[in-house]
Amino acid sequence: KESFAEKGYMLSVALHVGQNLGNGAYDYVDRINLMTYDLRMGMHSTVGDTKKSIILMLDYGIPRDKLIIGIPCYGRDMDDFHNVKSFAELVREQKTEKGRREVAEREISGSFYYNGRKVASKKAELATEMKLGGVFLWEAGQDVFDEKLSLMQAISQAFSIP
């Protein structure tokens, strides 16, 4: 880690929930991106499951300020885990502006479960309450690039960033 820092670099890793690097390993990394999605079939990335995942990983000795929790920008079909749509696809499928706004806020559309703006905001608030390093989006290119519908904008508002 010191050789990275001397050159102005950071070392980050991505971990699945339950993956423990072992004693001392967390001293060598600056950030740990915790993949708090695809945790189970059906509702694969709930706030409750995310909180349980955080507690588990903190029990492994990960410093709070290094832990970054993931928010998925996609939904999974609750009946067919392999059927995936981006958040942007789920929103764009709606024929009206009102329908797009409603889907952007919710977490279920048809048979798809996803993290809408409300869930994304709650996860950002959870990161703040638990004094974590923050959140990351997987994968940001699947977000909606409309300020009124965007997950990134909802997260920014939850963190009180204009």
Side-chain angles (χ1 to χ4, degrees), residues 75 77 83-101 103-104 106 108-112 114 144 149:
D77 189 320
N83 188 8
V84 180
K85 291 183 181 179
S86 72
F87 179 70
E89 287 176 293
L90 291 164
V91 170
R92 281 195 307 257
E93 286 177 346
Q94 305 309 306
K95 304 291 183 225
T96 65
E97 181 64 29
K98 181 181 181 217
R100 287 187 286 277
R101 279 193 315 269
V103 166
R106 293 194 310 242
I108 295 176
S109 179
S111 63
F112 281 82
Y114 57 96
V144 176
L149 304 174

Side-chain angles (χ1 to χ4, degrees), residues 12-32:
S12 64
V13 297
L15 295 178
H16 288 283
V17 173
Q19 189 176 12
N20 186 357
L21 295 180
N23 293 339
Y26 302 114
D27 295 338
Y28 295 99
V29 297
D30 297 292
R31 299 284 183 267
I32 296 137

Side-chain angles (χ1 to χ4, degrees), residues 27-102:
D27 295 338
Y28 295 99
V29 297
D30 297 292
R31 299 284 183 267
I32 296 137
N33 293 324
L34 184 60
M35 298 184 289
T36 49
Y37 38 83
D38 297 340
L39 298 172
R40 60 186 168 114
M41 303 296 277
M43 296 174 71
H44 69 98
S45 186
T46 66
V47 175
D49 285 344
T50 298
K51 186 171 184 175
K52 289 176 192 172
S53 299
I54 294 165
I55 291 167
L56 173 69
M57 299 307 281
L58 292 174
D59 286 346
Y60 289 157
I62 296 175
R64 288 175 185 275
D65 63 331
K66 291 185 179 188
L67 193 60
I68 315 292
I69 56 172
I71 298 173
C73 290
Y74 61 88
R76 287 200 179 271
D77 189 320
M78 292 184 285
D79 299 321
D80 178 3
F81 191 76
H82 300 289
N83 188 8
V84 180
K85 291 183 181 179
S86 72
F87 179 70
E89 287 176 293
L90 291 164
V91 170
R92 281 195 307 257
E93 286 177 346
Q94 305 309 306
K95 304 291 183 225
T96 65
E97 181 64 29
K98 181 181 181 217
R100 287 187 286 277
R101 279 193 315 269
E102 288 173 357

